[in-house]
Amino acid sequence: MSTFVRYQLISFIRSLKFIPPVIVYLTWVFILYAYKNVPILSSYGASSIALYMIMTWIAMAIFTMEEDSEKHILFTHVGGKQKYLIGKWFAVLAFMIPLAFFAIFYPILAGSFKGSMTVSLYAMTFYSHIIFGMFGILIGTLFSATTFAMKKYSWLSAVFFLVVSLASKSLIEAVSLLKWGLWVFPPVFEVIDYMSAGDQLIANQVFWFDTLHVLLYLIIGIMMAILLFLKKEQ
């Protein structure tokens, strides 16, 4: 598995496809902290949302590196289709971790915040970046490695999914009936709302309920992605 992940990383780096998303994200973080004395959690919320979109981009790029014939050879070498999928996810995570660390520690090292970091703020910051990064990887997987969308419209479908999930709260406020159909989109606002409520995190019962919902969504989403991938590669 480690050999396959290393092969994927080397192939992705050699393809140079990593340059646009990485440059866009680093530029976004630099612009975000161009001014000093910015609020902590809302700033981290903005970098988490950007990571959400960038990881969708990177996941789709990594999952579409091979042609079908090459992919079938890799199935044999790695020991199965499911191991191939998991290996791809590890490769995408290897790109997500340094980007998340940069977004978290750059403003601290640059002295951009008007307050001080606390243990609870660190915990919420890591939580938001990890969750949004994994949401992005999940969407990228669904629209590039499964039958969830037609290949011709995969990028358009992924962008639509991202936009609707980020606009879901406003859509539900405008038309309440939409809440029955928008549950299929990642519950991003069950994280964003806590990032935009000031720099005092209140971990009450509602927070833990929302966290449980987010984690359940990710677990079910990962299981769906595995099933849809295996169905496509039958």
Side-chain angles (χ1 to χ4, degrees):
M1 177 64 76
S2 61
T3 303
F4 176 65
V5 173
R6 191 164 57 251
Y7 168 76
Q8 288 294 304
L9 291 173
I10 293 172
S11 299
F12 187 51
I13 291 171
R14 285 180 175 172
S15 73
L16 303 182
K17 291 181 178 179
F18 75 96
I19 293 177
V22 169
I23 292 297
V24 168
Y25 191 65
L26 297 182
T27 303
W28 169 255
V29 173
F30 281 129
I31 293 173
L32 184 62
Y33 297 108
Y35 296 97
K36 300 294 181 183
N37 298 320
V38 296
I40 299 173
L41 281 184
S42 60
S43 300
Y44 280 138
S47 60
S48 298
I49 292 172
L51 189 64
Y52 177 39
M53 295 182 278
I54 292 298
M55 291 316 301
T56 300
W57 187 349
I58 290 176
M60 294 186 74
I62 288 181
F63 270 101
T64 54
M65 281 196 303
E66 296 97 11
E67 299 293 334
D68 285 344
S69 56
E70 187 180 359
K71 190 166 57 178
H72 291 144
I73 294 172
L74 288 172
F75 287 163
T76 304
H77 281 282
V78 78
K81 299 169 184 174
Q82 194 163 326
K83 288 185 177 178
Y84 169 90
L85 178 63
I86 293 171
K88 285 278 188 179
W89 277 337
F90 277 124
V92 183
L93 283 171
F95 264 87
M96 184 190 87
I97 291 171
L99 292 177
F101 270 65
F102 176 78
I104 292 170
F105 290 108
Y106 169 73
I108 297 173
L109 295 174
S112 301
F113 295 135
K114 63 181 178 183
S116 301
M117 292 293 293
T118 62
V119 174
S120 60
L121 291 179
Y122 271 116
M124 190 63 200
T125 298
F126 275 99
Y127 169 72
S128 67
H129 284 84
I130 291 170
I131 292 298
F132 273 90
M134 292 185 71
F135 277 157
I137 294 171
L138 180 59
I139 292 177
T141 304
L142 288 173
F143 289 103
S144 61
T146 74
T147 55
F148 198 77
M150 291 182 290
K151 188 174 182 179
K152 185 177 180 182
Y153 302 108
S154 58
W155 282 94
L156 186 62
S157 301
V159 171
F160 173 77
F161 218 75
L162 289 171
V163 170
V164 172
S165 64
L166 292 171
S168 59
K169 188 173 183 178
S170 299
L171 292 172
I172 291 172
E173 287 175 354
V175 183
S176 60
L177 284 176
L178 287 175
K179 67 181 179 181
W180 302 110
L182 293 177
W183 63 269
V184 297
F185 295 88
V188 293
F189 276 95
E190 293 186 8
V191 182
I192 293 175
D193 283 348
Y194 295 98
M195 305 298 286
S196 57
D199 289 341
Q200 296 296 322
L201 178 64
I202 302 174
N204 55 18
Q205 189 175 2
V206 177
F207 169 80
W208 292 114
F209 179 81
D210 288 342
T211 302
L212 179 62
H213 179 208
V214 168
L215 296 177
L216 283 175
Y217 182 93
L218 270 177
I219 292 169
I220 294 171
I222 290 169
M223 292 171 63
M224 286 291 296
I226 293 172
L227 291 174
L228 290 169
F229 173 77
L230 294 177
K231 182 180 179 182
K232 181 190 175 190
E233 301 299 337
Q234 280 180 346

